[in-house]
Every structure is written in C-alpha cells, then in structure tokens.
Amino acid sequence: MVNTAQAQSTSTPYRVTLTDPSGHQWFADEPTDKGGQDTAPNPVQILLSALGACTTITLEMYANLKGIKLDHVQVDLALNPNGEPEKGQNNIERKITLKGEFTEDQHKRLLKVAENCPIHKLLTSQINIQTELTI
C-alpha cells in the first residue's frame, strides 16, 4: 500500500486543506503571529502528532497481542525543547506515560516497542524528498 496525502491552499491565508484517498480531511494553519488564523495545528504540530499517534497505536497493538493490560497511553512531544539546535540537527523529545497493569519487564519492553513504531523508524532514517513543480 502506498500512503499518499494532498495539501491544497484555501482562500484563507496559510490555512491548508489536507486530504487522503479515503476521503479523510483535516487542516493545517499558522498561528496569528505568523499571519495565519490559528484554526488548526501548524505543520510541525501535525508531524509531532503523527509520531504520537503512531507510538500510541503501536503500544496498544503490542499490548493487545501480548495480553498486557494497558489502560491508557499518553505521548507528549516537543521539537527542540532546549532551544535552537546545531545547524542540520533537530531533537524531538518524546515522553510516554503508560497506565495499566504490567510488570517492570513488560514496561521496559513497551519502551523498546515504542521505538519500533513506523513513524519513529521513518523519522530516524535517511529521507530523500523528490520535488517536481507542475503547472
């Protein structure tokens, strides 16, 4: 399966409509101090939320598969929380809070599982973006 998405400008400055082939629709915007209307998450927040969603889903799937009682997952994310990084370097801080009934060994295993979510793997791999301008 090929994952695809489309972004289209709108009549509102910096508000973008995002869609996928299944018909899902969501939005991106910029805060008012950057000229946007602050009607939706900004693109960085959307990227961070993708990592948070993937981490949560991966942990839930693993817990279900292994019969681990995982009641709640919370993932807090921040890009460069300690200020501007060196040029070409960025840091994502991910804090995972788990609630449920599990052993210390299962807790450690869940941390390793979180690092295997597909978005984590994508973001920590070398990414090449091929851009083509069409008219």
Side-chain angles (χ1 to χ4, degrees):
M1 175 180 85
V2 175
N3 287 301
T4 64
Q6 184 179 72
Q8 293 188 51
S9 62
T10 66
S11 59
T12 303
Y14 307 127
R15 183 173 165 92
V16 177
T17 300
L18 304 159
T19 57
D20 69 13
S22 298
H24 298 112
Q25 184 177 51
W26 64 107
F27 302 94
D29 198 352
E30 287 292 337
T32 54
D33 65 342
K34 291 190 175 179
Q37 302 300 306
D38 200 21
T39 61
N42 69 44
V44 172
Q45 291 167 321
I46 292 172
L47 176 75
L48 292 173
S49 66
L51 177 59
C54 185
T55 300
T56 301
I57 291 166
T58 300
L59 288 168
E60 288 176 340
M61 286 179 164
Y62 179 81
N64 286 338
L65 180 69
K66 298 296 184 178
I68 298 171
K69 188 172 179 348
L70 186 58
D71 297 327
H72 184 77
V73 178
Q74 179 175 319
V75 183
D76 294 293
L77 297 135
L79 178 65
N80 300 321
N82 299 319
E84 286 299 312
E86 292 182 33
K87 186 176 179 176
Q89 296 289 319
N90 285 288
N91 299 297
I92 295 175
E93 180 180 272
R94 176 173 58 174
K95 293 182 180 178
I96 303 169
T97 304
L98 304 175
K99 301 223 188 279
E101 296 176 21
F102 37 81
T103 66
E104 186 177 329
D105 286 343
Q106 288 171 325
H107 189 263
K108 289 177 184 175
R109 180 67 186 135
L110 287 165
L111 176 60
K112 290 191 181 297
V113 167
E115 293 177 353
N116 285 311
C117 92
I119 299 299
H120 180 106
K121 288 181 176 180
L122 176 70
L123 291 173
T124 56
S125 71
Q126 181 174 341
I127 299 173
N128 297 306
I129 300 175
Q130 300 171 4
T131 303
E132 178 183 335
L133 183 63
T134 60
I135 299 175

